[in-house]
Amino acid sequence: MLPRGLKRKCSEDEAPAGPLQRQSLLDMSLAKLQLCHMLAEPNLCRSVLIANTVRQIQEEMTQDGSWSLPGPQTAGRSPRDRLVSTEVLCCSAWAGPAPAPDPADLASALQAVPATQVPGAMPGGPWDRAVPGESQGGFPRSLDQVFGTLESQGPGTVEELLSDVGGSYCDLDAVLMGVVGGAKSGPEGLETFASVAAPPRGTGCKADLGELDHVVEILVET
Amino acid sequence: MLLSLPALHLQTSEHHPLFQLPHGRLGPWCSPTGSPAPLSCETGCGEGTWILVCRLLVPTQVSLLSMEEDIDTRKINNSFLRDHSYATEADIISTVEFNHTGELLATGDKGGRVVIFQREQESKNQVHRRGEYNVYSTFQSHEPEFDYLKSLEIEEKINKIRWLPQQNAAYFLLSTNDKTVKLWKVSERDKRPEGYNLKDEEGRLRDPATITTLRVPVLRPMDLMVEATPRRVFANAHTYHINSISVNSDYETYMSADDLRINLWNFEITNQSFNIVDIKPANMEELTEVITAAEFHPHHCNTFVYSSSKGTIRLCDMRASALCDRHTKFFEEPEDPSNRSFFSEIISSISDVKFSHSGRCIMTRDYLTVKVWDLNMENRPVETYQVHDYLRSKLCSLYENDCIFDKFECVWNGSDSVIMTGSYNNFFRMFDRNTKRDVTLEASRENSKPRAILKPRKVCVGGKRRKDEISVDSLDFSKKILHTAWHPSENIIAVAATNNLYIFQDKVN
């Protein structure tokens, strides 16, 4: 019934979800959102439904007070502010994560650890395709940085790492194998990552904007 | 943003002979009470006897071979049907639709192909063959495209096919993928002109100096050829994925709906359409609801409905305003607090909406139920049918493996007395609205003997499993019946199971 290799995470019982089940459901939903936005063109209905589910879980967790209390450095903020904006999570890979979600915030959503920063709203909205001419804002980290974090961190931050991948379609299996395998898969996993990554991005943002300008020029002239 | 896309290479069709299973004999059938069940073709019978008419398969490789009508179908059966390597993903059927008379049955697949089957005509010699469908025409409707601006490939999968009512000798249908709707003309040619003066028989031009006599070209019979030609291409009007098309009862317009917008087209005009519904929020971050299906009223050309991912249906009247963002009627059932869970919204998302033939009701399909609504009552459905309620305790797993997002369709029978929808394990369900009886049947290759009578299936929900029952945990969730169709006037149904098309009919004496 389940795809091979995926452990059954949630219980079959539909009784009111305990905090643990709720957390695992949240993790699963966030992972789904990230994965589905790695696709060339995500299914909008599916993304909306998952995002609504995430929002619902977060609201309930807030009401229950499951979110950890703020530390001194964030005194004065209500727990709601630290709810990871689902729009940030849903950021379309094409639109380019701009600004890229702060890893600390995503980690907080996953592990209920106090966040130190509230992620800003995404300009232009995550659902939209990038309109040429619109500022892309942030830009993906260089692949080196991504690979670096891959080696050092465990699967717990899969979601934040996957969000950095460029806008191309990725072989999900290869990515999952490469990432979750962690240090074990070593160069193999990274190679897979590299082989399916987007066409090499030059110096990051400037190259992207240059490309877009070029495309816009072509469009305008035709 | 409108883009011009590269020109598409379109092929015409060829006539393919039947690919069919050999015949057997009818067997006896008894109702659960032990006495022979009454036949009720007119009124529709949810729990009546259904027999397999034929199982049709048009895999890519087979269609390239030329096959005679007389070939021993048993031989073909053995070599092709059992060889799974012939079934490719491109052959997965993605839509099924009878035309308005039921004479033609169209299927669309993931590979962008449309296959049209035609009903065998009744003949005195072979009475059994009446009711079977032969391949009539095959053509490539959509090709994969590349959107250069977004660097995205546009899938060629046919999402929907809708027939136009027949107005002359040719047949017309609309087929759509995620972005482009096309109007196809399917016509027969059984004569060709011969005896041109300026061309010879091969079509080469003749030197006028060599012509000494003139003749009048005549039409001579030829082998029947069925041609499909694209007559209109309606492109560049949808930013999001088209999920529905619906022909208006005025036969001059039709609508296409994507996740956030619905456009109205005139068949004659391809370079513009009217936007009649737009639910895209100004700030996309506020998006919480999408359009999932839309359909015109069968008789009132100004009325249509569209369903949403939040389980609501809106009925709109185009006379009220140009942009029908404000609905005339709003159908929503209040949530059952006892059944509330994190999955409540997902399972309430409507995957299909269909007007009854009478136009008095609409039927909606969400993940676990089928509901019938009276147009005059907005606050709750008049009937609710449980399709597979035993899945309610498995929602978490189904969310994990994404099955919870499967979009099942639902159909009415010709008299609106029976409704049908699909489920998992190649099961499909029929509900008789009058007798309140329901039946679960299976479209499977194991029971594929022709004229085999379908045995009602049952899912065991707990406790002791009886001999013929199947337990919930044994269900195959990769075998899902998403697309079904019901003949407009007779009890003949078409059920699509992956790359197989099953045609069943009610047993007739």
Side-chain angles (χ1 to χ4, degrees):
Chain A
M1 175 166 150
L2 296 174
R4 271 184 306 152
L6 272 186
K7 272 200 227 163
R8 189 172 295 203
K9 280 193 216 140
C10 44
S11 77
E12 301 295 348
D13 195 10
E14 261 312 292
L20 199 62
Q21 288 163 332
R22 206 164 48 187
Q23 185 63 57
S24 90
L25 191 60
L26 182 64
D27 294 345
M28 203 196 320
S29 305
L30 292 173
K32 276 184 191 298
L33 276 179
Q34 294 295 354
L35 285 176
C36 83
H37 280 282
M38 283 171 54
L39 293 180
E41 208 172 2
N43 182 329
L44 191 64
C45 181
R46 192 186 122 96
S47 306
V48 166
L49 288 173
I50 299 174
N52 288 352
T53 307
V54 168
R55 224 176 264 127
Q56 202 185 331
I57 297 172
Q58 288 176 337
E59 276 173 21
E60 201 179 285
M61 285 172 103
T62 316
Q63 282 163 11
D64 279 358
S66 301
W67 291 105
S68 299
L69 295 173
Q73 68 274 25
T74 52
R77 280 224 183 86
S78 76
R80 258 193 182 279
D81 291 348
R82 285 196 317 283
L83 284 178
V84 179
S85 165
T86 49
E87 294 75 23
V88 172
L89 300 167
C90 301
C91 77
S92 161
W94 167 253
D102 190 291
D105 296 295
L106 280 170
S108 81
L110 300 171
Q111 289 139 27
V113 162
T116 53
Q117 193 174 324
V118 176
M122 298 248 323
W127 305 107
D128 259 343
R129 301 295 156 210
V131 177
E134 204 174 71
S135 164
Q136 287 294 289
F139 42 88
R141 298 179 192 164
S142 73
L143 284 174
D144 285 342
Q145 277 180 293
V146 176
F147 294 160
T149 43
L150 260 178
E151 280 174 322
S152 58
Q153 293 178 11
T157 46
V158 159
E159 291 79 3
E160 65 176 289
L161 295 171
L162 293 179
S163 73
D164 293 329
V165 175
S168 68
Y169 170 80
C170 286
D171 184 334
L172 292 177
D173 285 343
V175 171
L176 283 174
M177 294 269 293
V179 171
V180 177
K184 238 195 305 176
S185 52
E188 223 174 50
L190 295 178
E191 265 171 67
T192 320
F193 220 113
S195 68
V196 300
R201 294 183 181 269
T203 48
C205 181
K206 283 216 174 102
D208 292 339
L209 285 182
E211 257 176 65
L212 272 174
D213 283 345
H214 182 57
V215 170
V216 170
E217 267 172 36
I218 294 172
L219 278 176
V220 165
E221 279 164 18
T222 54
Chain B
M1 179 113 193
L2 300 185
L3 315 159
S4 67
L5 296 172
L8 306 165
H9 172 56
L10 301 155
Q11 298 165 324
T12 54
S13 70
E14 295 161 52
H15 179 55
H16 292 286
L18 167 67
F19 184 39
Q20 184 194 329
L21 302 171
H23 302 293
R25 296 192 61 81
L26 294 170
W29 181 87
C30 283
S31 73
T33 59
S35 55
L39 301 167
S40 48
C41 293
E42 274 90 358
T43 56
C45 43
E47 79 287 6
T49 56
W50 289 90
I51 57 173
L52 172 68
V53 173
C54 49
R55 178 166 72 90
L56 302 162
L57 183 74
V58 189
T60 323
Q61 286 84 344
V62 173
S63 65
L64 295 176
L65 305 170
S66 67
M67 300 193 313
E68 312 297 332
E69 287 272 356
D70 301 329
I71 276 186
D72 183 358
T73 50
R74 233 177 304 258
K75 232 193 305 184
I76 299 171
N77 195 2
N78 291 344
S79 60
F80 289 128
L81 294 183
R82 255 186 247 140
D83 189 346
H84 295 277
S85 64
Y86 277 85
T88 63
E89 187 171 318
D91 299 326
I92 294 175
I93 298 171
S94 50
T95 184
V96 188
E97 188 82 355
F98 280 100
N99 75 338
H100 293 260
T101 59
E103 183 205 350
L104 298 180
L105 175 63
T107 62
D109 65 26
K110 259 190 111 170
R113 223 170 17 156
V114 171
V115 181
I116 302 177
F117 301 91
Q118 184 185 42
R119 191 169 185 188
E120 181 108 8
Q121 293 310 307
E122 197 168 304
S123 81
K124 292 203 190 82
N125 301 335
Q126 296 177 303
V127 180
H128 289 314
R129 287 183 82 98
R130 168 95 171 122
E132 284 162 11
Y133 282 78
N134 308 339
V135 177
Y136 178 66
S137 173
T138 307
F139 57 93
Q140 188 72 32
S141 170
H142 287 71
E143 300 270 7
E145 290 167 24
F146 195 74
D147 180 339
Y148 294 101
L149 185 67
K150 300 174 190 171
S151 288
L152 297 171
E153 187 169 290
I154 300 170
E155 254 191 65
E156 67 274 31
K157 174 169 75 94
I158 307 295
N159 293 336
K160 283 285 177 339
I161 289 174
R162 290 287 182 263
W163 289 94
L164 268 68
Q166 196 171 4
Q167 288 171 316
N168 54 35
Y171 303 103
F172 287 88
L173 62 80
L174 286 174
S175 69
T176 185
N177 68 349
D178 284 338
K179 300 284 187 182
T180 305
V181 185
K182 294 188 187 177
L183 175 69
W184 287 88
K185 175 181 176 183
V186 182
S187 49
E188 293 181 9
R189 189 195 289 265
D190 62 353
K191 296 183 187 49
R192 68 157 180 255
E194 283 179 22
Y196 284 107
N197 291 294
L198 294 176
K199 287 190 291 188
D200 65 17
E201 295 311 310
E202 278 85 48
R204 288 186 298 241
L205 289 173
R206 292 168 71 189
D207 179 4
T210 64
I211 299 171
T212 52
T213 57
L214 289 177
R215 56 188 176 172
V216 178
V218 291
L219 291 174
R220 294 212 188 282
M222 59 178 257
D223 288 340
L224 179 67
M225 196 167 80
V226 182
E227 295 178 314
T229 47
R231 305 297 294 176
R232 304 274 187 275
V233 177
F234 305 92
N236 303 329
H238 286 279
T239 309
Y240 304 96
H241 291 182
I242 298 175
N243 52 54
S244 315
I245 46 175
S246 178
V247 179
N248 205 349
S249 49
D250 63 8
Y251 305 152
E252 288 180 3
T253 57
Y254 76 92
M255 70 159 138
S256 56
D258 67 29
D259 294 317
L260 298 179
R261 298 194 178 97
I262 303 181
N263 294 333
L264 181 72
W265 301 85
N266 182 302
F267 280 111
E268 300 305 316
I269 301 168
T270 60
N271 59 0
Q272 69 181 28
S273 66
F274 290 101
N275 176 240
I276 51 177
V277 173
D278 188 341
I279 65 167
K280 182 178 173 190
N283 185 357
M284 280 295 273
E285 294 175 22
E286 292 163 5
L287 179 67
T288 57
E289 192 174 11
V290 299
I291 297 171
T292 52
E295 197 181 44
F296 267 118
H297 191 283
H299 312 309
H300 303 141
C301 56
N302 54 284
T303 306
F304 65 93
V305 292
Y306 69 92
S307 59
S308 82
S309 56
K310 285 199 167 166
T312 65
I313 307 105
R314 288 170 176 80
L315 184 139
C316 300
D317 186 335
M318 294 195 290
R319 296 171 301 190
S321 69
L323 186 61
C324 300
D325 276 356
R326 295 177 58 176
H327 48 263
T328 306
K329 295 199 185 198
F330 181 78
F331 300 85
E332 186 180 28
E333 183 173 27
E335 200 182 353
D336 176 6
S338 65
N339 266 337
R340 177 140 183 77
S341 75
F342 286 120
F343 307 110
S344 293
E345 184 179 315
I346 299 181
I347 63 170
S348 74
S349 173
I350 292 173
S351 51
D352 195 14
V353 66
K354 292 266 170 47
F355 271 102
S356 62
H357 291 94
S358 64
R360 284 195 295 270
C361 300
I362 49 177
M363 165 167 57
T364 58
R365 173 73 156 99
D366 51 60
Y367 190 63
L368 297 178
T369 71
V370 185
K371 296 181 171 143
V372 176
W373 305 74
D374 186 313
L375 286 190
N376 298 319
M377 185 154 70
E378 298 168 54
N379 58 349
R380 62 175 177 81
V382 290
E383 294 155 29
T384 301
Y385 300 95
Q386 302 295 332
V387 181
H388 38 216
D389 200 54
Y390 45 79
L391 297 182
R392 198 177 285 275
S393 58
K394 312 277 183 194
L395 291 179
C396 196
S397 306
L398 294 165
Y399 179 68
E400 194 179 352
N401 66 13
D402 280 348
C403 282
I404 207 173
F405 300 106
D406 287 335
K407 293 193 192 295
F408 293 94
E409 293 172 8
C410 54
V411 289
W412 298 87
N413 76 335
S415 57
D416 297 338
S417 59
V418 183
I419 57 183
M420 174 169 70
T421 189
S423 178
Y424 293 105
N425 209 72
N426 279 351
F427 287 172
F428 57 100
R429 304 258 283 139
M430 286 184 202
F431 302 92
D432 190 318
R433 297 175 63 212
N434 300 326
T435 66
K436 298 302 178 196
R437 290 172 74 167
D438 61 78
V439 68
T440 305
L441 301 170
E442 183 180 359
S444 87
R445 283 165 64 143
E446 285 82 45
N447 310 333
S448 275
K449 274 197 315 191
R451 317 313 277 189
I453 289 173
L454 292 182
K455 201 175 62 165
R457 304 302 309 260
K458 195 152 159 51
V459 176
C460 163
V461 290
K464 204 157 169 353
R465 184 179 78 87
R466 291 211 197 100
K467 199 180 80 138
D468 286 335
E469 291 180 354
I470 181 167
S471 73
V472 182
D473 293 317
S474 312
L475 293 174
D476 188 342
F477 287 83
S478 67
K479 293 189 183 161
K480 45 195 96 171
I481 306 280
L482 303 174
H483 313 288
T484 59
W486 204 307
H487 190 286
S489 51
E490 295 182 39
N491 279 343
I492 300 174
I493 57 175
V495 176
T498 324
N499 62 333
N500 293 281
L501 181 71
Y502 292 85
I503 299 185
F504 303 105
Q505 90 180 33
D506 191 26
K507 182 178 134 188
V508 180
N509 253 349

